[in-house]
Amino acid sequence: MSKRFLLTLILGLVALSIVPFAATAQMEKPKIGFLPGVVDPFYQVMEIGVNEAVADFGLEVVTQYPQTWGPSVQTPILEAMIARGDLDYLITAPTDKEQMIAPLQSAVDAGIKVITVDTFLGDGDYVNGPVTFPLSYIGSDNVEGGRIAARALAEVLGGKGKVYVQNTNVGVSTTEQRGQGFIEGISEFPEMELVGMDYNLDDANTAVEQTAAKLQAVPDLAGIFGVNVFSAYGAGNAVKAAGLEGKVQVIAFDATKDAIQNLRDGVVSLVIAQKPHDMGYLAVAFAMADWRGVTSIPKHVTTGYAVIDINNVDDPEVARFIYQVPGQ
Ligand code: T6T
C-alpha cells in the first residue's frame, strides 16, 4: 500500500467519522415554530424576543403570521406547519380559547410540543383545567390589566361618568379577561356607568367607526377603554377626529407608537404596555430547557406590565417597553 494511498484512506476515514458526528450534534437542537395571533406590533416585538433566544441557543425557527385574526385563518397555517414534519416545538397565541384546542391537539399528536404565549386555551390552568397538553402558558394578567384601566379612568374622571369599551372578539382569552377586569374595576365606583362594549373583530377601521357612532349616540361619554392595539387605535383616533381630546379620556392597552403619540397629544391618558419580548424569549428558553430534559418548567408565567403616562413616558426605564419594531 503506497504512502499516498494510506494517507488518502486515513483522511477519508477521519472525514467519515466527523460528518456523522457533526450531523448528530446539529440534530441535537430542536426546531421551533412560531405562530402568532396576527400581524401587529405586539407580536412583532414578541418575534424579536423569539429570534434573540433562537440566536442565543443556536436554534432554527419557522415563523408564520396570520394576516387577520381568528381560527379560520390561523388553523390552515397551523396545519401546514404540522405537515412540514420537522418542528419539535410550537410557540403560539391561540386566537380562540375553545376553537384552537382541537387543531393544537393535532400538533401534539404529531409530536410537536406546544407553548402558548399571550393567549391561552381552555381556562389557562394547564395543571387542573380542561386543557393540560401545553407545556406552559406565558402571558400578562389580563383581568388585572382591565382593572388597572378601570381604576385609571375613574381617577382621571374623578370617579364619575359614562364609559365605553372597544373590544375585539368573544372567545379570545386576553381581551375577554381585560373586558371582565374592566367591568370589575368600574363596579368599585358607584357613580361610573358602563354604557356599552363593542366588538371590532380586531379591525382598526371597524374600531374607529364603532367609536365614532358611540360618541354620537352618547354625547356625554366621558371615557373609553381600548383593550388592544387596534381597539385603542380606533378609540383614540375617533376621539381625535371628533375634536374631543381632553373631553373624552382614553385608556390604551398596548404601547404602540400610535398610542404613545396619542398620549403626547392629550388624547390618551394612560398606556398599558405588556412585555411581548419577554414572552417570546422565555418561550424559546422553555422549549430548549424541555429539550434538555428539564422537568420543572412552570405551567404558567405572568410577565407583568409597564404603565405609561405623560410623566414617565420619557424615562428610559419605562420607555424601553414601548413596542419598537425596526423599520416602523
Ligand atoms: O393585545 C395584544 C394581545 O395581547 C391580544 O391577545 C391580541 O391583541 C394584541 O395582539 C394587540 O393587537
Side-chain angles (χ1 to χ4, degrees):
M1 201 183 288
S2 75
K3 269 192 187 166
R4 188 169 222 199
F5 178 74
L6 195 60
L7 189 65
T8 313
L9 187 68
I10 291 170
L11 285 176
L13 285 174
V14 168
L16 275 177
S17 66
I18 285 173
V19 169
F21 175 76
T24 315
Q26 283 231 324
M27 277 164 50
E28 277 174 11
K29 298 271 179 91
K31 193 159 177 175
I32 311 285
F34 178 46
L35 173 58
V38 75
V39 187
D40 73 19
F42 169 83
Y43 290 116
Q44 287 166 321
V45 172
M46 189 185 290
E47 186 189 358
I48 294 172
V50 165
N51 289 343
E52 282 178 9
V54 159
D56 288 352
F57 293 112
L59 308 180
E60 254 187 272
V61 64
V62 175
T63 298
Q64 296 279 315
Y65 272 92
Q67 290 303 311
T68 53
W69 186 274
S72 61
V73 184
Q74 196 178 35
T75 303
I77 301 174
L78 168 63
E79 286 167 353
M81 290 176 95
I82 298 171
R84 297 171 56 97
D86 62 348
L87 299 179
D88 300 294
Y89 291 87
L90 180 71
I91 296 169
T92 188
T95 50
D96 188 286
K97 61 186 184 172
E98 300 301 330
Q99 291 180 54
M100 290 310 295
I101 296 174
L104 284 165
Q105 178 67 60
S106 308
V108 174
D109 295 344
I112 302 172
K113 292 194 178 180
V114 170
I115 296 174
T116 70
V117 277
D118 176 43
T119 48
F120 59 69
L121 294 173
D123 66 2
D125 179 354
Y126 295 160
V127 179
N128 299 308
V131 178
T132 55
F133 65 74
L135 207 53
S136 190
Y137 161 48
I138 307 169
S140 307
D141 179 340
N142 289 292
V143 176
E144 183 56 19
R147 284 194 207 111
I148 293 171
R151 289 173 188 152
L153 206 44
E155 193 180 330
V156 77
L157 296 177
K160 53 174 184 278
K162 292 182 180 167
V163 295
Y164 157 74
V165 180
Q166 254 301 308
N167 208 325
T168 62
N169 313 57
V170 174
V172 181
S173 69
T174 47
T175 50
E176 201 170 273
Q177 287 194 323
R178 287 171 209 162
Q180 178 199 331
F182 186 81
I183 292 170
E184 284 175 24
I186 285 297
S187 69
E188 294 166 7
F189 302 90
E191 289 181 72
M192 296 202 58
E193 185 193 350
L194 179 63
V195 295
M197 181 164 338
D198 277 330
Y199 293 89
N200 56 49
L201 308 182
D202 213 26
D203 180 77
N205 293 331
T206 308
V208 174
E209 284 161 20
Q210 289 175 339
T211 308
K214 191 53 103 180
L215 289 168
Q216 289 243 316
V218 186
D220 56 344
L221 191 70
I224 308 176
F225 173 37
V227 306
N228 81 333
V229 168
F230 298 127
S231 309
Y233 173 91
N237 290 297
V239 166
K240 222 181 213 174
L244 291 171
E245 48 270 75
K247 294 205 180 96
V248 178
Q249 304 293 333
V250 177
I251 306 290
F253 211 93
D254 287 314
T256 57
K257 273 170 64 177
D258 176 77
I260 296 298
Q261 190 55 51
N262 278 342
L263 175 74
R264 293 189 190 283
D265 292 348
V267 180
V268 161
S269 27
L270 199 79
V271 178
I272 302 171
Q274 304 188 74
K275 299 187 176 172
H277 174 274
D278 291 12
M279 297 177 200
Y281 194 98
L282 280 177
V284 175
F286 283 6
M288 191 65 207
D290 179 74
W291 184 258
R292 285 281 177 247
V294 171
T295 57
S296 310
I297 292 164
K299 280 283 197 177
H300 183 188
V301 175
T302 304
T303 41
Y305 295 115
V307 178
I308 308 176
D309 62 21
I310 200 65
N311 299 314
N312 67 13
V313 64
D314 293 316
D315 174 351
E317 280 308 305
V318 173
R320 63 190 281 249
F321 295 108
I322 297 171
Y323 305 169
Q324 314 271 5
V325 183
Q328 285 185 15

